Amino acid sequence: MMRFLAALWNQAKADECALAGRFATQLRARCGLEPEIETPGLLLFCFGLGSDSNCFYRLPDKAGCVIGVLFDRIRNGDDIPQRLVGIPPSAGRKIQETAGGHLIHSYWGRYVAFIRDASAFRTWVLQDPSAALPLFHTDERGVHLYFSDLDDVHALGFFSFSVNVDYLRAYVLHSICPCEATGLAQIDELQGGQCHEYDGSRVTSKHYWSPRSLTLDPIEDPAEACGLLRTAVFACAQAWASCFDNVVHHLSGGLDSSITLSALVAAASAPTVTCVNYYSEGGRADERRYARAAADAAGVPLLVRELRTPTDLTAMMCVPAAPRPAPSISSLHAKEIITTARSFGAKAITSGNAGDAVFGEIRDERVAADYLSVNGFDRNLLRVIADTARLTETTIWRIARATFATRSTGDERRRSSASLQYQKLLSANVRTAADQLSGRYTHPWSRAIDDVPPVKRRHIGMLAQPMTSRTPLRLDDAPEWCYPLASQPIIELSLALPTYLLTIGGQTRALARRAFMNDVPPSILARRDKGHPGEYLTALIQSQLALLREYLLDGEMVKLDLLDACAIEQALSGQPTRTEPTEILWHLGTEIWLRNIAAMNGPIPSARAKH
């Protein structure tokens, strides 16, 4: 797994130069590595370079670098975007002249860029629109650090961090709270398309990539949209496939992973693909028959593995500290799929991650309102109202009322707060602050979009969620984690597809079902349900009640007044409860994160929430 750490400072200030020099000395001694860039004002160390998907692109004239992988833009529907082996000098100069903007508009991929103009005393740090590589920022005595792994910063010994309790209140309310703020007060994170400009004294932030602008001219023709969607998905998946000669594909049996598989194997130089399906007996967690149908259609082998309840939660406890909490349930079986991938010599693990967002797993009574806001009252509106009624399994009259209703920003905020996923274990103070917190920590993509139709605003929020998250275990020797559907060209196309087209005919991901009808088995195209390991998670909770009570009842989240001890007591009593297993395990992951931060930085102050 690739990691990086970069330092920016004012080369005219002796104290900053001395501190940056101490950083370099420590990193050399600890890791035995030489920096990729070491010039006055910029120091960059990279770990794990060398694979086809972890490249180092040096810009000409000491103008900086791009780390990750770059592809050409899709120019022709019949062509696979080519992976860049180097940046031509002319393109490098354009990247510098545009302070990185040329990268976003002429290429795509998974990258972070450090760009310099020494004559103007400017340095720019750019996150690609897919935000596939973590890019965090902190500063110490005038030296700005950009990094992907908190352990690398902590090991320097110069930094201490405090928990951002206000952010945590929003995080436990909204399940995932992507924005610049993190769970540590001294650290922020660059989001997709965001750029930091450093002028030697301060850092300012810019946004080069606007989802809103991509929604302004929606594609209305279903046939055209189907063709564009299939072309983009196949092109991006095959571009990623060109980086690896052997992959293991996590094949759930759902629509997204099946579409991704069909695209991966379609290239003339497709990698060797081995599929793995995880199941548990009973309910919606057993999707083996669908996975077999998809693997047979693609002509690739399928391994079936049963999800067995672990005897302990050691894997979750071993998740390293990071700048913000992250879902750690996946860590329970991450080692197993990594071991499987290694046994097959796979260089990457792929999946259908991001499919719900880019294809539109949306059930919302306001879809017809989106149509009305774009097209006005025309002869097709009644059809879209009927589609929306079918989509949400409600009456046409209810949808008609929702279509013509007017809602204020306050109504939208209350609607958002009322639909929060995990509420049953939250403290009264956190629930009371829901409306206030809902607008405080928002993703930059979701700001200033009041002129975007209501469900499209929700769709932008879905696309803003982390779609390329890797296992939080962060094993250095693990294969790459690769999610083709989270590619920038697919995201951009998805933004241009109106919600009433994504759900055409009254079915979620309906446009994708049409676009890939000749690539995916009919039984998968016809599915209206989604797999969910409910029984497995319930059994897991019941087997770990003692540990869960130990961690949650007397944990940091109760001390910080984030969770309600009485609600936890009832949920973990062993008696029937309305609290979902996913909610309990979600909060367990946050509790483990808090304890890891305490182990790194010392005790966390116990304080009541302030509102």
Side-chain angles (χ1 to χ4, degrees), residues 207-379:
H207 295 279
Y208 287 178
W209 189 83
S210 169
R212 174 188 168 277
S213 66
L214 295 163
T215 69
L216 298 180
D217 186 21
I219 299 165
E220 297 281 351
D221 179 61
E224 178 190 5
C226 283
L228 290 171
L229 185 60
R230 188 177 184 278
T231 294
V233 168
F234 269 62
C236 291
Q238 291 174 33
W240 284 113
S242 71
C243 294
F244 313 104
D245 57 12
N246 191 340
V247 305
V248 160
H249 182 64
H250 188 185
L251 181 63
S252 68
L255 181 66
D256 308 329
S257 62
S258 300
I259 288 174
T260 304
L261 174 62
S262 68
L264 284 171
V265 302
S269 57
T272 299
V273 178
T274 304
C275 292
V276 179
N277 172 262
Y278 292 92
Y279 77 96
S280 62
E281 294 285 357
R284 293 159 55 195
D286 190 347
E287 302 176 271
R288 284 176 288 178
R289 68 186 181 95
Y290 297 113
R292 287 195 183 101
D296 288 346
V300 298
L302 173 68
L303 304 177
V304 175
R305 298 285 187 265
E306 184 177 4
L307 282 174
R308 298 184 182 275
T309 305
T311 56
D312 58 50
L313 299 180
T314 302
M316 287 185 70
M317 309 305 174
C318 294
V319 170
R324 63 157 51 92
S328 51
I329 300 173
S330 63
S331 64
L332 293 174
H333 297 280
K335 284 188 177 179
E336 199 278 337
I337 192 169
I338 289 170
T339 300
T340 299
R342 286 175 182 152
S343 70
F344 282 90
K347 303 297 179 58
I349 299 170
T350 60
S351 79
N353 269 29
D356 281 358
V358 298
F359 294 148
E361 180 60 29
I362 297 169
R363 288 183 173 86
D364 195 303
E365 294 179 355
R366 302 167 299 163
V367 166
D370 276 21
Y371 183 90
L372 179 65
S373 68
V374 173
N375 297 284
F377 196 123
D378 66 9
R379 61 189 179 87

Side-chain angles (χ1 to χ4, degrees), residues 6 23 55 170 195 237 244 262 308 330 339 376 379 399 408 429 440 461 469 477 525 529 536 568 586 595:
F23 291 165
C55 304
C195 180
F244 313 104
S262 68
R308 298 184 182 275
S330 63
T339 300
R379 61 189 179 87
I399 299 304
S408 67
N429 280 334
R440 185 176 299 172
S469 57
D477 58 346
L525 294 170
D529 63 324
Y536 164 78
I568 296 170
W586 180 274
R595 295 190 182 204

Side-chain angles (χ1 to χ4, degrees), residues 3-4 42 231 239 243 294 307 332 348 371 511 585 603 610:
R3 312 193 316 273
F4 59 86
L42 175 61
T231 294
C243 294
L307 282 174
L332 293 174
Y371 183 90
L511 192 74
L585 291 169
K610 295 180 181 179

Side-chain angles (χ1 to χ4, degrees), residues 57-60 66 68-75 81-96 98 100-113 115 126-130 193 208-209 236 239-240 487-490 492:
Y57 302 93
R58 196 176 299 276
L59 298 177
V66 180
V69 63
L70 292 173
F71 300 102
D72 281 323
R73 277 286 186 167
I74 299 172
R75 308 295 183 189
Q82 295 299 304
R83 175 170 50 86
L84 269 65
V85 295
I87 296 177
S90 59
R93 286 188 287 274
K94 286 183 180 178
I95 290 169
Q96 184 190 50
T98 59
H102 183 69
L103 271 172
I104 286 180
H105 301 297
S106 297
Y107 305 101
W108 64 276
R110 179 180 66 195
Y111 62 87
V112 168
I115 304 155
L126 175 64
Q127 172 65 287
D128 95 77
S130 73
Y208 287 178
W209 189 83
C236 291
W240 284 113
S487 299
Q488 180 183 342
I490 301 175
E492 290 176 342

